[in-house]
Amino acid sequence: MARPWNFSAGPSVLPEVVLQQAAAEMLDWHGSGMSVMEMSHRGRQFVQICDEAEADLRELMNLPADYAVMFMQGGGLGENAIVPMNLIGRRGVPAADFVVTGHWSTRSHKEAGRYGDARIAASSGVAAEIGGREQRPFTWVPPAQSWQVRPEAAYLHLCSNETIGGVEFTDWPDLAELGAPDVPLVVDASSHFLSRPLDVTRAGLLFAGAQKNAGPAGVTVVIARRDLLGKALSICPSAFDYANVAAEHSRYNTPPTFAIYVAGLVYKWVKAQGGVEGLEAANKAKADLLYGYLDASEFYRNPVEPSVRSRMNVPFVLRDESLNDAFLQGAEAAGLLALKGHKSVGGMRASIYNAMPLAGVQALVDYLKEFERRYG
Ligand SMILES: Cc1ncc(COP(=O)(O)O)c(C=O)c1O
């Protein structure tokens, strides 16, 4: 069966071989006589699946032993509450700082305010002139030297890839250089997890919902430096207390077993692609192809400051927005799905995650060209 190209921002395209393997093992996992869905989360088969997924992820991300890996539920928005409940009180007075660069970091900041003093250290929520070009709000990243981080904050949060705005951090600053050596970085990496090497040791905690680059919806990966655990607020549910989850190797209560299993298959696929380094090269080639075409065209436009354009989520607008419906209808007819931009920004968005092959991006560029030829 020929499948269309799926540009959904998430849940999103998975490697076809992963879906095939999950299908082949659906009724009987490795001679166990059970589907993974039917196994006890404490039985030896699932323990093997879960431990192997963790080991593969550790290898892929080069994680040292002092970082815990936790497979949790609740998604990115769940972590917006779970992170502060675990960390915001760790230094006494509950306080955390936020770099706000778009929709998702705005929501993280707002949610954390329910648990303590959540303050904005820097924001790109205003227009700015960068490199002689006028940038609209949330299409740029404030330079690290301008961040006002409180040295006594429990942590500094940033979203390293804003899925809606298409803004990606290429680097994370050393907070010691910003006068806050004891403030760990908390990174929401949901939409570019495993798409490029990320040096987690420069952060205290990183989380990512799996449903973009790393598996199906239902599992959220949390990677945290162990010394930050064990200081949760007393209101934190015990099932969301990282100290409990880490101590029980993600099996404090019933984890999303099937989602962890599929995520584990995705990790093996990432290894077979040459790891995150291999995928980075492929992702760069895909992004260059798409941005290259958009930039050369007078008909389409990507609004993001070029140095922080996301390799994963590429928003673009048609100069004549009255053509939007025709564009989307034609795209679907051409087998290009889910190109509609997020409702908060409109326009179009192509999410070109790890599992989207170069051929899919080429098909999109061919369609962009053809549409421009007909309507431009
Ligand atoms: C960067 C980022 N953070 C958080 C979320 C929210 O994730 P969830 O819907 O799993 O709660 C999303 C969802 O798209 C996201 O892209």
Side-chain angles (χ1 to χ4, degrees):
M1 181 186 77
R3 305 175 83 228
W5 302 113
N6 177 1
F7 295 93
S8 168
S12 45
V13 59
L14 282 163
E16 204 163 312
V17 288
V18 165
L19 296 175
Q20 280 161 350
Q21 186 171 348
E25 296 176 346
M26 181 60 77
L27 297 184
D28 180 8
W29 183 82
H30 294 206
S32 65
M34 292 180 280
S35 170
V36 176
M37 278 187 245
E38 301 171 301
M39 291 172 181
S40 162
H41 62 294
R42 303 196 189 285
R44 68 183 158 77
Q45 292 97 341
F46 182 73
V47 168
Q48 183 191 329
I49 289 168
C50 191
D51 288 352
E52 214 168 293
E54 177 176 335
D56 285 336
L57 185 60
R58 284 186 173 281
E59 187 184 327
L60 282 169
M61 299 195 69
N62 206 7
L63 290 182
D66 61 332
Y67 279 75
V69 170
M70 293 166 270
F71 297 115
M72 298 185 67
Q73 305 194 52
L77 291 193
E79 287 306 320
N80 281 350
I82 297 169
V83 169
M85 280 195 288
N86 274 276
L87 300 189
I88 204 165
R90 57 180 275 275
R91 298 177 74 186
V93 181
D97 289 352
F98 291 77
V99 179
V100 174
T101 50
H103 178 93
W104 295 111
S105 45
T106 299
R107 293 190 68 167
S108 301
H109 167 246
K110 199 163 166 207
E111 184 79 11
R114 304 175 65 181
Y115 303 99
D117 174 18
R119 202 174 287 181
I120 295 180
S123 168
S124 61
V126 292
E129 196 186 302
I130 298 174
R133 198 171 134 153
E134 174 78 2
Q135 288 298 143
R136 295 214 322 270
F138 294 145
T139 64
W140 56 283
V141 170
Q145 310 83 285
S146 70
W147 300 3
Q148 304 283 317
V149 186
R150 289 174 288 180
E152 69 280 13
Y155 60 90
L156 175 73
H157 174 112
L158 62 84
C159 175
S160 53
N161 188 66
E162 286 280 1
T163 321
I164 294 173
V167 171
E168 182 169 12
F169 283 73
T170 49
D171 198 15
W172 307 333
D174 179 350
L175 296 191
E177 287 171 13
L178 303 184
D182 300 322
V183 179
L185 206 51
V186 166
V187 179
D188 173 359
S190 293
S191 48
H192 73 163
F193 189 58
L194 297 180
S195 72
R196 63 193 303 154
L198 296 174
D199 183 0
V200 180
T201 63
R202 299 186 68 180
L205 185 146
L206 177 148
F207 68 84
Q211 68 269 25
K212 291 147 199 315
N213 256 335
V219 58
T220 315
V221 174
V222 180
I223 299 170
R225 222 173 60 208
R226 293 186 198 274
D227 67 291
L228 298 175
L229 311 186
K231 300 178 184 91
L233 300 178
S234 58
I235 56 158
C236 182
S238 57
F240 292 150
D241 185 328
Y242 294 140
N244 293 336
V245 181
E248 300 289 335
H249 303 280
S250 303
R251 300 184 288 274
Y252 177 77
N253 68 331
T254 313
T257 53
F258 194 76
I260 293 171
Y261 154 70
V262 180
L265 296 182
V266 172
Y267 301 159
K268 290 198 186 300
W269 176 84
V270 174
K271 284 169 77 172
Q273 309 309 302
V276 286
E277 291 80 10
L279 283 173
E280 179 180 42
N283 287 329
K284 189 168 178 315
K286 291 184 292 180
D288 287 349
L289 175 62
L290 184 50
Y291 285 114
Y293 182 74
L294 294 173
D295 283 347
S297 155
E298 292 286 316
F299 190 80
Y300 306 99
R301 191 173 55 82
N302 168 278
V304 180
E305 203 272 303
S307 69
V308 294
R309 284 173 167 178
S310 170
R311 286 188 192 150
M312 296 286 101
N313 309 98
V314 183
F316 61 94
V317 290
L318 278 60
R319 299 230 183 221
D320 178 358
E321 301 239 37
S322 70
L323 293 172
N324 283 358
D325 286 347
F327 178 89
L328 288 167
Q329 275 166 20
E332 206 160 319
L336 306 164
L337 307 184
L339 285 167
K340 191 170 179 173
H342 190 268
K343 57 182 185 304
S344 63
V345 290
M348 309 297 156
R349 172 176 50 172
S351 295
I352 50 176
Y353 294 124
N354 285 345
M356 171 61 66
L358 184 64
V361 180
Q362 186 61 58
L364 172 60
V365 168
D366 291 345
Y367 174 71
L368 292 171
K369 263 186 212 162
E370 174 56 21
F371 192 82
E372 179 172 356
R373 195 189 57 75
R374 277 186 63 190
Y375 292 94

